[in-house]
Amino acid sequence: MTTAPDLFGPVRLGAIPLANRIVMAPLTRSRADADDAVTDLHVEYYRQRASAGLIITEATPISRQGKGYAYTPGIFTDLQVERWRKVTDAVHAAGGRIVIQLWHVGRISHPDLQENGALPVAPSAVKPEGMAFTETGFKPHVTPRALDVAELPGLVEDYARATRNARHAGFDGVEIHAANGYLLDQFLKDKTNLRTDAYGGSVENRMRFPLEVVDAVVAAWDKDHVGIRISPVSPANDIAESDPEAVFTPFVAALSERGLAYLHVVEGATGGPRDLGGWDPRALRPVFKGAWMGNNSYTRALALEAVATGAVDAVAFGRPFIANPDLVERLKRDAPLAEPDRATFYGGGAEGYTDYPTLDAAAA
Ligand code: 8OZ
Protein backbone atom coordinates (compact mmCIF):
# COMPACT_ATOMS: atom_id res chain seq x y z
CA MET A 1 0.00 0.00 0.00
CA THR A 2 1.28 3.46 -0.78
CA THR A 3 0.39 6.47 1.30
CA ALA A 4 -0.25 9.93 -0.07
CA PRO A 5 2.62 12.42 0.24
CA ASP A 6 2.42 14.44 3.45
CA LEU A 7 3.05 18.17 3.90
CA PHE A 8 4.90 17.36 7.13
CA GLY A 9 6.96 14.52 5.66
CA PRO A 10 10.37 14.62 3.95
CA VAL A 11 11.12 15.27 0.30
CA ARG A 12 14.22 15.79 -1.85
CA LEU A 13 14.63 18.73 -4.21
CA GLY A 14 17.51 17.58 -6.42
CA ALA A 15 20.41 17.07 -4.01
CA ILE A 16 18.71 18.97 -1.18
CA PRO A 17 16.94 16.82 1.43
CA LEU A 18 14.07 18.57 3.23
CA ALA A 19 12.64 17.41 6.58
CA ASN A 20 9.20 18.63 5.49
CA ARG A 21 7.57 20.17 2.44
CA ILE A 22 6.99 23.59 3.96
CA VAL A 23 9.31 26.18 2.45
CA MET A 24 9.97 29.71 3.63
CA ALA A 25 9.50 31.86 0.53
CA PRO A 26 11.94 34.66 -0.27
CA LEU A 27 11.00 37.82 1.63
CA THR A 28 12.64 41.20 1.12
CA ARG A 29 13.06 42.80 4.57
CA SER A 30 15.66 45.53 3.83
CA ARG A 31 17.78 45.28 6.95
CA ALA A 32 21.29 44.95 5.50
CA ASP A 33 24.08 47.23 6.74
CA ALA A 34 26.00 49.98 4.92
CA ASP A 35 28.12 47.31 3.16
CA ASP A 36 24.97 45.63 1.80
CA ALA A 37 25.85 42.73 4.09
CA VAL A 38 23.73 40.66 6.45
CA THR A 39 24.30 41.11 10.17
CA ASP A 40 23.83 39.16 13.40
CA LEU A 41 20.18 40.19 13.23
CA HIS A 42 19.78 38.18 10.01
CA VAL A 43 21.54 35.24 11.65
CA GLU A 44 18.93 35.25 14.41
CA TYR A 45 15.98 35.80 12.03
CA TYR A 46 16.87 32.87 9.78
CA ARG A 47 17.88 30.64 12.72
CA GLN A 48 14.42 31.20 14.26
CA ARG A 49 12.81 29.91 11.04
CA ALA A 50 15.06 26.86 10.51
CA SER A 51 12.24 24.36 11.14
CA ALA A 52 11.02 25.12 7.62
CA GLY A 53 11.91 22.21 5.33
CA LEU A 54 13.83 24.80 3.29
CA ILE A 55 14.51 28.51 3.66
CA ILE A 56 14.88 30.58 0.51
CA THR A 57 16.69 33.78 1.46
CA GLU A 58 15.44 37.22 0.67
CA ALA A 59 16.22 38.23 -2.92
CA THR A 60 19.97 38.94 -3.02
CA PRO A 61 21.69 41.11 -5.65
CA ILE A 62 24.39 39.30 -7.64
CA SER A 63 26.16 42.58 -8.40
CA ARG A 64 26.12 46.23 -7.44
CA GLN A 65 24.16 46.88 -10.65
CA GLY A 66 21.58 44.26 -9.68
CA LYS A 67 20.44 46.26 -6.67
CA GLY A 68 17.05 48.01 -6.74
CA TYR A 69 16.03 48.57 -3.12
CA ALA A 70 17.75 50.15 -0.15
CA TYR A 71 19.33 47.86 2.46
CA THR A 72 19.21 44.59 0.48
CA PRO A 73 22.15 42.25 1.19
CA GLY A 74 24.32 41.19 -1.74
CA ILE A 75 26.45 38.13 -2.56
CA PHE A 76 29.17 39.83 -4.60
CA THR A 77 31.83 40.93 -2.04
CA ASP A 78 34.05 38.88 0.28
CA LEU A 79 32.51 40.56 3.31
CA GLN A 80 28.99 39.66 2.15
CA VAL A 81 30.06 36.03 1.69
CA GLU A 82 31.68 35.95 5.13
CA ARG A 83 28.51 37.31 6.74
CA TRP A 84 26.18 34.93 4.90
CA ARG A 85 28.39 32.09 6.21
CA LYS A 86 27.16 32.91 9.73
CA VAL A 87 23.57 32.59 8.54
CA THR A 88 24.08 29.22 6.84
CA ASP A 89 26.02 27.88 9.86
CA ALA A 90 23.21 28.91 12.23
CA VAL A 91 20.48 27.39 10.04
CA HIS A 92 22.43 24.15 9.64
CA ALA A 93 23.15 23.96 13.40
CA ALA A 94 19.40 24.21 13.94
CA GLY A 95 18.78 21.35 11.50
CA GLY A 96 17.55 23.45 8.59
CA ARG A 97 18.42 23.90 4.93
CA ILE A 98 18.87 27.20 3.11
CA VAL A 99 19.29 28.32 -0.49
CA ILE A 100 20.02 31.86 -1.65
CA GLN A 101 17.88 33.68 -4.19
CA LEU A 102 20.05 35.24 -6.91
CA TRP A 103 18.66 38.58 -8.03
CA HIS A 104 19.20 41.26 -10.64
CA VAL A 105 16.38 43.80 -10.65
CA GLY A 106 17.04 45.16 -14.16
CA ARG A 107 14.87 48.25 -14.68
CA ILE A 108 13.32 48.10 -11.17
CA SER A 109 16.04 50.32 -9.69
CA HIS A 110 16.94 53.99 -9.54
CA PRO A 111 20.11 56.06 -10.15
CA ASP A 112 20.24 56.73 -6.38
CA LEU A 113 20.73 52.96 -5.87
CA GLN A 114 23.33 52.58 -8.63
CA GLU A 115 27.05 53.27 -8.59
CA ASN A 116 27.82 56.86 -9.66
CA GLY A 117 24.12 57.52 -10.25
CA ALA A 118 24.07 55.28 -13.31
CA LEU A 119 20.82 54.44 -15.06
CA PRO A 120 19.31 51.03 -14.31
CA VAL A 121 19.75 48.53 -17.15
CA ALA A 122 17.11 46.43 -18.91
CA PRO A 123 16.54 44.53 -22.15
CA SER A 124 14.89 47.67 -23.56
CA ALA A 125 14.45 51.32 -22.59
CA VAL A 126 10.91 50.93 -21.24
CA LYS A 127 10.12 52.88 -18.08
CA PRO A 128 8.24 51.04 -15.36
CA GLU A 129 5.31 52.60 -13.55
CA GLY A 130 5.83 52.83 -9.82
CA MET A 131 8.43 53.92 -7.31
CA ALA A 132 11.85 52.74 -6.18
CA PHE A 133 12.65 52.36 -2.46
CA THR A 134 15.83 54.42 -1.95
CA GLU A 135 17.67 55.44 1.22
CA THR A 136 15.99 58.82 0.94
CA GLY A 137 12.46 57.59 0.32
CA PHE A 138 10.33 56.44 -2.60
CA LYS A 139 11.26 57.90 -6.00
CA PRO A 140 9.61 57.36 -9.39
CA HIS A 141 11.30 54.83 -11.63
CA VAL A 142 13.24 56.20 -14.60
CA THR A 143 13.66 55.03 -18.18
CA PRO A 144 16.38 52.36 -18.04
CA ARG A 145 19.28 52.02 -20.44
CA ALA A 146 18.92 49.14 -22.90
CA LEU A 147 21.75 46.64 -22.43
CA ASP A 148 24.25 46.38 -25.25
CA VAL A 149 24.57 42.82 -26.48
CA ALA A 150 28.30 42.99 -25.63
CA GLU A 151 27.42 43.46 -21.93
CA LEU A 152 25.43 40.24 -21.61
CA PRO A 153 28.37 37.82 -21.09
CA GLY A 154 29.48 39.97 -18.15
CA LEU A 155 26.03 39.71 -16.59
CA VAL A 156 26.03 35.95 -17.07
CA GLU A 157 29.42 35.86 -15.32
CA ASP A 158 27.96 37.90 -12.42
CA TYR A 159 25.41 35.11 -11.87
CA ALA A 160 28.14 32.47 -12.07
CA ARG A 161 30.36 34.35 -9.60
CA ALA A 162 27.41 34.79 -7.21
CA THR A 163 26.82 31.03 -7.41
CA ARG A 164 30.44 30.29 -6.52
CA ASN A 165 30.15 32.79 -3.68
CA ALA A 166 26.99 31.04 -2.46
CA ARG A 167 28.88 27.73 -2.33
CA HIS A 168 31.67 29.34 -0.34
CA ALA A 169 29.09 30.81 2.02
CA GLY A 170 27.78 27.32 2.79
CA PHE A 171 24.38 27.44 1.12
CA ASP A 172 22.59 24.21 0.19
CA GLY A 173 21.84 25.58 -3.27
CA VAL A 174 20.75 28.62 -5.23
CA GLU A 175 17.44 29.81 -6.61
CA ILE A 176 17.53 31.94 -9.76
CA HIS A 177 15.00 34.77 -9.46
CA ALA A 178 13.28 34.85 -12.86
CA ALA A 179 9.97 36.18 -11.50
CA ASN A 180 8.15 39.34 -10.48
CA GLY A 181 9.19 41.68 -13.26
CA TYR A 182 12.94 41.69 -12.58
CA LEU A 183 15.74 41.32 -15.16
CA LEU A 184 15.16 37.75 -16.36
CA ASP A 185 11.37 38.19 -16.44
CA GLN A 186 11.96 41.44 -18.38
CA PHE A 187 13.78 39.43 -21.08
CA LEU A 188 11.02 36.80 -21.23
CA LYS A 189 7.99 39.08 -21.53
CA ASP A 190 6.89 41.19 -24.47
CA LYS A 191 5.97 44.36 -22.59
CA THR A 192 9.60 44.83 -21.51
CA ASN A 193 11.59 43.10 -24.26
CA LEU A 194 11.45 45.09 -27.49
CA ARG A 195 14.88 43.97 -28.71
CA THR A 196 15.48 43.22 -32.37
CA ASP A 197 18.70 41.25 -31.90
CA ALA A 198 19.18 37.56 -30.95
CA TYR A 199 17.78 38.30 -27.46
CA GLY A 200 14.38 39.67 -28.47
CA GLY A 201 11.47 39.06 -30.78
CA SER A 202 10.73 35.34 -31.03
CA VAL A 203 10.08 33.32 -27.90
CA GLU A 204 13.29 31.41 -28.58
CA ASN A 205 15.22 34.68 -28.62
CA ARG A 206 13.55 36.02 -25.47
CA MET A 207 14.44 32.81 -23.59
CA ARG A 208 18.07 33.02 -24.69
CA PHE A 209 19.51 35.24 -21.95
CA PRO A 210 17.61 33.58 -19.07
CA LEU A 211 18.78 30.16 -20.32
CA GLU A 212 22.38 31.39 -20.65
CA VAL A 213 22.13 32.42 -17.00
CA VAL A 214 20.69 29.03 -16.00
CA ASP A 215 23.46 27.21 -17.87
CA ALA A 216 26.16 29.35 -16.26
CA VAL A 217 24.73 28.83 -12.78
CA VAL A 218 24.50 25.08 -13.34
CA ALA A 219 28.09 25.07 -14.64
CA ALA A 220 29.20 26.95 -11.51
CA TRP A 221 27.64 24.29 -9.25
CA ASP A 222 25.46 21.50 -10.68
CA LYS A 223 21.84 21.00 -11.70
CA ASP A 224 20.91 19.31 -8.44
CA HIS A 225 21.68 22.45 -6.43
CA VAL A 226 19.82 24.90 -8.67
CA GLY A 227 16.17 25.92 -8.56
CA ILE A 228 14.38 28.74 -10.34
CA ARG A 229 11.40 30.96 -9.59
CA ILE A 230 8.97 32.11 -12.27
CA SER A 231 5.71 34.10 -12.22
CA PRO A 232 4.22 33.56 -15.68
CA VAL A 233 1.01 35.58 -15.18
CA SER A 234 1.92 37.99 -12.38
CA PRO A 235 1.73 41.72 -13.17
CA ALA A 236 4.26 42.52 -10.40
CA ASN A 237 6.47 45.52 -11.16
CA ASP A 238 4.42 46.65 -14.14
CA ILE A 239 5.22 43.66 -16.32
CA ALA A 240 2.97 41.87 -18.80
CA GLU A 241 3.10 39.16 -21.42
CA SER A 242 0.43 38.93 -24.10
CA ASP A 243 0.73 35.13 -24.45
CA PRO A 244 2.24 33.59 -21.30
CA GLU A 245 1.39 30.05 -22.38
CA ALA A 246 3.43 30.46 -25.58
CA VAL A 247 6.46 31.76 -23.64
CA PHE A 248 6.40 29.61 -20.53
CA THR A 249 5.60 26.25 -22.10
CA PRO A 250 8.91 26.14 -24.03
CA PHE A 251 10.78 27.91 -21.24
CA VAL A 252 9.69 25.39 -18.61
CA ALA A 253 10.41 22.53 -21.05
CA ALA A 254 13.95 23.91 -21.46
CA LEU A 255 14.35 24.08 -17.67
CA SER A 256 13.09 20.53 -17.37
CA GLU A 257 15.61 19.31 -19.95
CA ARG A 258 18.34 20.81 -17.83
CA GLY A 259 17.20 18.73 -14.86
CA LEU A 260 16.97 21.56 -12.33
CA ALA A 261 16.27 20.65 -8.69
CA TYR A 262 12.97 22.49 -8.53
CA LEU A 263 10.63 24.93 -10.23
CA HIS A 264 9.15 27.55 -7.90
CA VAL A 265 5.98 28.97 -9.38
CA VAL A 266 4.12 32.08 -8.26
CA GLU A 267 0.61 30.90 -9.03
CA GLY A 268 -1.42 33.99 -9.96
CA ALA A 269 -0.55 37.58 -9.03
CA THR A 270 2.39 37.91 -6.61
CA GLY A 271 0.92 38.46 -3.16
CA GLY A 272 -2.55 38.73 -4.72
CA PRO A 273 -5.23 36.55 -6.27
CA ARG A 274 -4.33 32.97 -7.18
CA ASP A 275 -6.81 32.89 -10.03
CA LEU A 276 -6.58 35.68 -12.58
CA GLY A 277 -9.15 34.21 -14.92
CA GLY A 278 -6.81 33.60 -17.88
CA TRP A 279 -4.37 30.81 -18.63
CA ASP A 280 -3.29 29.02 -15.44
CA PRO A 281 0.47 28.29 -15.11
CA ARG A 282 -0.35 25.16 -13.12
CA ALA A 283 -1.04 23.68 -16.56
CA LEU A 284 2.78 23.45 -16.83
CA ARG A 285 3.03 20.83 -14.10
CA PRO A 286 3.43 17.91 -16.56
CA VAL A 287 6.00 19.89 -18.58
CA PHE A 288 8.53 19.98 -15.69
CA LYS A 289 9.90 16.63 -14.57
CA GLY A 290 11.59 17.87 -11.38
CA ALA A 291 9.98 19.05 -8.15
CA TRP A 292 7.22 21.68 -8.33
CA MET A 293 7.13 24.24 -5.55
CA GLY A 294 3.80 26.06 -5.38
CA ASN A 295 3.56 29.56 -3.99
CA ASN A 296 1.06 32.31 -3.40
CA SER A 297 -1.49 32.70 -0.64
CA TYR A 298 -1.66 29.01 0.26
CA THR A 299 -3.77 28.22 3.30
CA ARG A 300 -3.15 25.20 5.50
CA ALA A 301 -6.04 23.33 3.87
CA LEU A 302 -4.91 24.15 0.35
CA ALA A 303 -1.32 23.14 1.11
CA LEU A 304 -2.34 19.82 2.67
CA GLU A 305 -4.50 19.01 -0.32
CA ALA A 306 -2.05 20.18 -2.98
CA VAL A 307 0.70 17.97 -1.51
CA ALA A 308 -1.57 14.96 -0.90
CA THR A 309 -2.90 15.01 -4.47
CA GLY A 310 0.56 15.48 -5.97
CA ALA A 311 -0.37 18.85 -7.48
CA VAL A 312 2.81 20.20 -5.81
CA ASP A 313 5.87 18.64 -4.17
CA ALA A 314 6.38 21.51 -1.73
CA VAL A 315 4.61 24.71 -0.73
CA ALA A 316 6.34 28.05 -0.20
CA PHE A 317 4.74 30.33 2.40
CA GLY A 318 5.89 33.94 2.49
CA ARG A 319 4.03 36.40 4.69
CA PRO A 320 2.96 33.73 7.25
CA PHE A 321 6.63 33.18 8.10
CA ILE A 322 7.10 36.82 9.12
CA ALA A 323 5.06 36.63 12.33
CA ASN A 324 5.23 32.85 12.82
CA PRO A 325 8.85 31.68 13.11
CA ASP A 326 7.46 28.25 14.11
CA LEU A 327 5.04 28.12 11.20
CA VAL A 328 5.65 24.40 10.65
CA GLU A 329 4.67 23.58 14.24
CA ARG A 330 1.61 25.83 14.08
CA LEU A 331 0.42 24.21 10.87
CA LYS A 332 1.01 20.77 12.40
CA ARG A 333 -1.10 21.63 15.43
CA ASP A 334 -3.60 23.60 13.35
CA ALA A 335 -2.89 26.47 15.76
CA PRO A 336 -3.83 30.08 15.04
CA LEU A 337 -1.37 32.18 13.04
CA ALA A 338 -0.08 35.55 14.26
CA GLU A 339 -0.62 38.52 11.96
CA PRO A 340 2.48 40.48 10.87
CA ASP A 341 2.82 44.24 11.27
CA ARG A 342 3.09 45.83 7.80
CA ALA A 343 4.85 48.89 9.21
CA THR A 344 7.94 46.77 9.94
CA PHE A 345 8.03 44.70 6.71
CA TYR A 346 10.84 46.78 5.17
CA GLY A 347 13.74 48.46 6.96
CA GLY A 348 14.42 49.02 10.63
CA GLY A 349 15.89 46.61 13.16
CA ALA A 350 14.77 43.82 15.44
CA GLU A 351 11.24 45.13 15.88
CA GLY A 352 8.86 43.21 13.66
CA TYR A 353 11.79 41.02 12.56
CA THR A 354 13.23 38.82 15.30
CA ASP A 355 10.73 39.59 18.07
CA TYR A 356 7.77 37.45 16.95
CA PRO A 357 7.43 34.65 19.53
CA THR A 358 6.86 30.98 18.91
CA LEU A 359 3.55 29.55 20.06
CA ASP A 360 5.17 28.01 23.12
CA ALA A 361 7.01 31.18 24.06
CA ALA A 362 3.80 33.19 23.66
CA ALA A 363 1.91 30.76 25.92
CA ALA A 364 4.59 30.77 28.64
C1 8OZ B 1 8.58 43.05 -2.19
C2 8OZ B 1 9.37 44.15 -1.92
C3 8OZ B 1 10.64 44.21 -2.46
C4 8OZ B 1 11.11 43.21 -3.28
C5 8OZ B 1 9.94 40.22 -5.28
C6 8OZ B 1 12.11 40.70 -4.40
O1 8OZ B 1 8.80 40.62 -5.53
C7 8OZ B 1 10.83 41.01 -4.41
C8 8OZ B 1 10.31 42.10 -3.54
C9 8OZ B 1 9.04 42.05 -3.00
O2 8OZ B 1 10.38 39.18 -5.77
mmCIF file of all heavy atoms in Angstrom, residues 28 59 69 103 177 180 182 346, ligand 1:
data_model
loop_
_atom_site.group_PDB
_atom_site.id
_atom_site.type_symbol
_atom_site.label_atom_id
_atom_site.label_comp_id
_atom_site.label_asym_id
_atom_site.label_seq_id
_atom_site.Cartn_x
_atom_site.Cartn_y
_atom_site.Cartn_z
ATOM 1 N N THR A 28 11.798 40.011 0.992
ATOM 2 C CA THR A 28 12.640 41.205 1.123
ATOM 3 C C THR A 28 12.291 41.908 2.422
ATOM 4 O O THR A 28 11.129 42.213 2.678
ATOM 5 C CB THR A 28 12.417 42.126 -0.098
ATOM 6 O OG1 THR A 28 12.948 41.477 -1.244
ATOM 7 C CG2 THR A 28 13.100 43.478 0.086
ATOM 8 N N ALA A 59 15.576 38.002 -1.629
ATOM 9 C CA ALA A 59 16.221 38.226 -2.919
ATOM 10 C C ALA A 59 17.535 38.971 -2.689
ATOM 11 O O ALA A 59 17.578 39.955 -1.952
ATOM 12 C CB ALA A 59 15.303 39.029 -3.836
ATOM 13 N N TYR A 69 16.717 48.147 -4.353
ATOM 14 C CA TYR A 69 16.029 48.575 -3.123
ATOM 15 C C TYR A 69 17.093 48.883 -2.084
ATOM 16 O O TYR A 69 18.151 48.228 -2.047
ATOM 17 C CB TYR A 69 15.137 47.454 -2.557
ATOM 18 C CG TYR A 69 14.024 47.012 -3.481
ATOM 19 C CD1 TYR A 69 14.290 46.192 -4.576
ATOM 20 C CD2 TYR A 69 12.698 47.400 -3.256
ATOM 21 C CE1 TYR A 69 13.274 45.777 -5.430
ATOM 22 C CE2 TYR A 69 11.674 46.987 -4.100
ATOM 23 C CZ TYR A 69 11.971 46.180 -5.187
ATOM 24 O OH TYR A 69 10.961 45.772 -6.035
ATOM 25 N N TRP A 103 19.540 37.504 -7.574
ATOM 26 C CA TRP A 103 18.655 38.583 -8.031
ATOM 27 C C TRP A 103 19.393 39.653 -8.814
ATOM 28 O O TRP A 103 20.444 40.133 -8.381
ATOM 29 C CB TRP A 103 18.071 39.218 -6.774
ATOM 30 C CG TRP A 103 16.888 40.115 -6.870
ATOM 31 C CD1 TRP A 103 15.912 40.142 -7.819
ATOM 32 C CD2 TRP A 103 16.535 41.125 -5.904
ATOM 33 N NE1 TRP A 103 14.960 41.091 -7.498
ATOM 34 C CE2 TRP A 103 15.329 41.706 -6.336
ATOM 35 C CE3 TRP A 103 17.107 41.572 -4.716
ATOM 36 C CZ2 TRP A 103 14.683 42.728 -5.617
ATOM 37 C CZ3 TRP A 103 16.480 42.582 -4.000
ATOM 38 C CH2 TRP A 103 15.272 43.151 -4.447
ATOM 39 N N HIS A 177 16.243 33.969 -9.491
ATOM 40 C CA HIS A 177 15.003 34.773 -9.465
ATOM 41 C C HIS A 177 14.672 35.200 -10.898
ATOM 42 O O HIS A 177 15.274 36.126 -11.439
ATOM 43 C CB HIS A 177 15.209 35.992 -8.573
ATOM 44 C CG HIS A 177 13.951 36.699 -8.180
ATOM 45 N ND1 HIS A 177 12.739 36.488 -8.801
ATOM 46 C CD2 HIS A 177 13.703 37.618 -7.206
ATOM 47 C CE1 HIS A 177 11.812 37.261 -8.234
ATOM 48 N NE2 HIS A 177 12.370 37.944 -7.262
ATOM 49 N N ASN A 180 8.553 38.045 -11.050
ATOM 50 C CA ASN A 180 8.155 39.344 -10.480
ATOM 51 C C ASN A 180 8.680 40.594 -11.175
ATOM 52 O O ASN A 180 8.905 41.624 -10.542
ATOM 53 C CB ASN A 180 8.523 39.383 -8.988
ATOM 54 C CG ASN A 180 7.742 38.336 -8.213
ATOM 55 O OD1 ASN A 180 6.748 37.808 -8.706
ATOM 56 N ND2 ASN A 180 8.171 38.023 -7.004
ATOM 57 N N TYR A 182 11.527 41.309 -12.645
ATOM 58 C CA TYR A 182 12.943 41.692 -12.580
ATOM 59 C C TYR A 182 13.661 41.268 -13.867
ATOM 60 O O TYR A 182 13.022 40.845 -14.827
ATOM 61 C CB TYR A 182 13.577 41.128 -11.305
ATOM 62 C CG TYR A 182 12.898 41.686 -10.064
ATOM 63 C CD1 TYR A 182 12.132 40.886 -9.232
ATOM 64 C CD2 TYR A 182 12.966 43.059 -9.784
ATOM 65 C CE1 TYR A 182 11.467 41.420 -8.124
ATOM 66 C CE2 TYR A 182 12.306 43.595 -8.680
ATOM 67 C CZ TYR A 182 11.563 42.775 -7.854
ATOM 68 O OH TYR A 182 10.905 43.311 -6.782
ATOM 69 N N TYR A 346 9.616 46.349 5.858
ATOM 70 C CA TYR A 346 10.841 46.777 5.174
ATOM 71 C C TYR A 346 11.603 47.798 6.010
ATOM 72 O O TYR A 346 11.046 48.812 6.412
ATOM 73 C CB TYR A 346 10.498 47.398 3.806
ATOM 74 C CG TYR A 346 9.614 46.520 2.966
ATOM 75 C CD1 TYR A 346 8.294 46.870 2.718
ATOM 76 C CD2 TYR A 346 10.096 45.315 2.446
ATOM 77 C CE1 TYR A 346 7.475 46.051 1.946
ATOM 78 C CE2 TYR A 346 9.281 44.494 1.677
ATOM 79 C CZ TYR A 346 7.969 44.871 1.433
ATOM 80 O OH TYR A 346 7.161 44.064 0.681
HETATM 81 C C1 8OZ B 1 8.584 43.049 -2.188
HETATM 82 C C2 8OZ B 1 9.375 44.151 -1.919
HETATM 83 C C3 8OZ B 1 10.638 44.214 -2.457
HETATM 84 C C4 8OZ B 1 11.106 43.208 -3.279
HETATM 85 C C5 8OZ B 1 9.943 40.219 -5.283
HETATM 86 C C6 8OZ B 1 12.112 40.704 -4.395
HETATM 87 O O1 8OZ B 1 8.803 40.617 -5.530
HETATM 88 C C7 8OZ B 1 10.833 41.007 -4.408
HETATM 89 C C8 8OZ B 1 10.308 42.098 -3.545
HETATM 90 C C9 8OZ B 1 9.043 42.049 -3.003
HETATM 91 O O2 8OZ B 1 10.383 39.181 -5.770
#
